[in-house]
Amino acid sequence: MHGVRRGQVFSDKQRKEAIEKCRRFKELTEKLLAKRACAALDSECLGLTTDVLSENAEYYTAWNIRREIIEVHHQAVVECPKESSAAVAADSKEKKEDQEGESKKEEKGEKSAATVESELESRKKKLHKLLEGELSFTAKLIRVYPKSYWLWFHRQWVTDKLDIWLQSCNWKYELELCTMFLKADNRYC
């Protein structure tokens, strides 16, 4: 808030706790940046960003990495229909061939159109769950860091992606949440 200082360290115990917190934050960020350098944008990397941002929601690099991880999941969904159309074309070709051709297809391990569609739905659900988890995570952090622009920007980015990619953003809830956060801030009372 304006004119209100953030906490100050007074005692030796508080100073030691602050030093330990800084050490832990540095260790987490080093692990996170090493994973990013290796292009290992997986659930472990997402967990590291969660830990880093829980310590400091204004570490913008961690928000960028979270967005990269979400983009990777989205790319998996986007690429799945390409596999689906190839599988459908292969299925129509196989229908023209005899039983021997179908057994060759099974031996090669090619996916049927139904399998690919099932996989696409599974990937969409996983992406939706990831984005909903992001909204939940950001709501939790907003309670602690209500003035973090990076946090609010990430939340807006997630709601936009939910709306564009999956057409499932609950805008009414988002407005209610913003109203609740504004009421909680004594500058707006």
Side-chain angles (χ1 to χ4, degrees), residues 39-43 45 64-80 123 126-127 130-131 157 165:
L41 300 174
D42 53 12
S43 59
C45 190
N64 285 338
I65 294 170
R66 284 184 89 82
R67 282 190 288 278
E68 289 174 16
I69 293 167
I70 293 169
E71 291 283 348
V72 166
H73 279 77
H74 177 253
Q75 194 61 37
V77 172
V78 169
E79 290 174 357
C80 197
R123 290 179 184 184
K126 187 175 180 182
L127 178 63
L130 177 64
L131 291 170
W157 184 86
W165 292 342

Side-chain angles (χ1 to χ4, degrees), residues 28-84:
L28 286 170
T29 56
E30 287 172 355
K31 282 182 189 176
L32 177 63
L33 294 175
K35 290 220 30 114
R36 184 186 196 188
C38 296
L41 300 174
D42 53 12
S43 59
E44 182 184 349
C45 190
L46 188 65
L48 283 171
T49 62
T50 300
D51 294 342
V52 167
L53 292 168
S54 295
E55 294 286 328
N56 180 6
E58 295 187 18
Y59 188 58
Y60 197 66
T61 301
W63 291 116
N64 285 338
I65 294 170
R66 284 184 89 82
R67 282 190 288 278
E68 289 174 16
I69 293 167
I70 293 169
E71 291 283 348
V72 166
H73 279 77
H74 177 253
Q75 194 61 37
V77 172
V78 169
E79 290 174 357
C80 197
K82 293 177 186 173
E83 295 170 8
S84 176

Side-chain angles (χ1 to χ4, degrees), residues 2 5 22 27 29 39 51 56-57 69 74 92 94 116-117 125 127-129 134-135 139 142 149 172 174-175 177:
H2 299 286
R5 292 182 134 182
C22 288
E27 182 181 298
T29 56
D51 294 342
N56 180 6
I69 293 167
H74 177 253
S92 63
E94 289 297 324
V116 173
E117 288 301 319
K125 286 179 184 177
L127 178 63
H128 188 269
K129 184 177 177 182
E134 285 297 295
L135 291 178
I142 286 171
Y149 289 106
K172 183 179 178 184
E174 288 301 313
L175 288 173
L177 193 64

